[in-house]
């Protein structure tokens, strides 16, 4: 019974770290686009880049099949909360723009739908950590 609980805990941590990585990549790309358009200038390492680096480190730690230590899990949960807030702010701006000027170029999906692996969680988790040959 305890093994089942550890496996479930590990799966939830993999989902969290993966979602953080996908969200950080998406928001970092949006930030770079805005910077390129002259909307603002980033002169220091982006917080989103730091989030992306942390998420990738968390995923590397999870490849051994063990859940994250509590301090790293808390870091991942806090990061997820911040990324959700940033995405929701961006999404509300894009929705306002779409209502004023027409439809958006991509579907405006909720956070949990937007940042899911293409193959779905079940297949992703089954293949997570396996080496490609």
């Amino acid at each position: 019974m305890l093994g089942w609980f550890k496996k479930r805990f590990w799966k939830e941590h993999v989902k969290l770290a993966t979602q953080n990585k996908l969200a950080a990549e998406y928001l970092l790309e949006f930030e770079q686009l805005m910077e390129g358009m002259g909307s603002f200038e980033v002169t220091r390492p982006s917080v989103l880049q730091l989030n992306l680096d942390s998420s990738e480190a968390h995923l590397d730690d999870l490849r051994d099949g063990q859940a994250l230590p509590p301090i790293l899990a808390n870091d991942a949960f806090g990061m997820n909360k911040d990324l959700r807030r940033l995405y929701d702010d961006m999404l509300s701006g894009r929705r306002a723009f779409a209502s004023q000027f027409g439809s958006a170029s991509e579907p405006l999906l909720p956070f949990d739908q937007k940042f899911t692996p293409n193959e779905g969680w079940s297949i992703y988790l089954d293949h997570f950590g396996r080496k490609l040959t």
Side-chain angles (χ1 to χ4, degrees):
M1 181 78 167
L2 190 57
W4 173 84
F5 183 72
K6 285 182 179 181
K7 181 81 168 175
R8 178 159 174 115
F9 208 56
W10 172 81
K11 285 181 177 183
E12 292 302 318
H13 283 185
V14 171
K15 286 181 179 180
L16 180 67
T18 301
Q19 194 174 54
N20 287 350
K21 180 181 182 279
L22 294 172
E25 286 173 339
Y26 181 84
L27 292 168
L28 184 61
E29 186 178 310
F30 183 76
E31 180 182 81
Q32 291 168 344
L33 177 67
M34 292 294 106
E35 181 184 4
M37 294 174 63
S39 296
F40 61 91
E41 184 176 333
V42 178
T43 56
R44 56 182 166 55
S46 168
V47 171
L48 292 170
Q49 183 63 52
L50 297 174
N51 284 343
L52 179 59
D53 294 343
S54 292
S55 298
E56 289 173 345
H58 292 159
L59 287 169
D60 284 342
D61 292 342
L62 288 162
R63 292 202 190 283
D64 66 0
Q66 300 294 316
L68 292 172
I71 194 161
L72 292 180
N74 288 337
D75 178 45
F77 282 117
M79 187 185 317
N80 190 269
K81 196 161 102 174
D82 292 340
L83 290 168
R84 284 176 183 275
R85 196 173 305 123
L86 285 170
Y87 180 73
D88 287 345
D89 288 346
M90 185 201 70
L91 197 59
S92 67
R94 293 183 83 180
R95 282 190 176 128
F97 182 84
S99 69
Q100 281 281 8
F101 301 105
S103 65
S105 60
E106 66 178 272
L108 304 176
L109 300 172
F111 189 88
D112 289 319
Q113 287 179 1
K114 179 73 175 174
F115 303 114
T116 301
N118 291 336
E119 65 270 20
W121 287 117
S122 179
I123 295 172
Y124 179 80
L125 289 169
D126 285 344
H127 294 95
F128 181 79
R130 291 187 188 165
K131 294 187 181 201
L132 299 175
T133 55

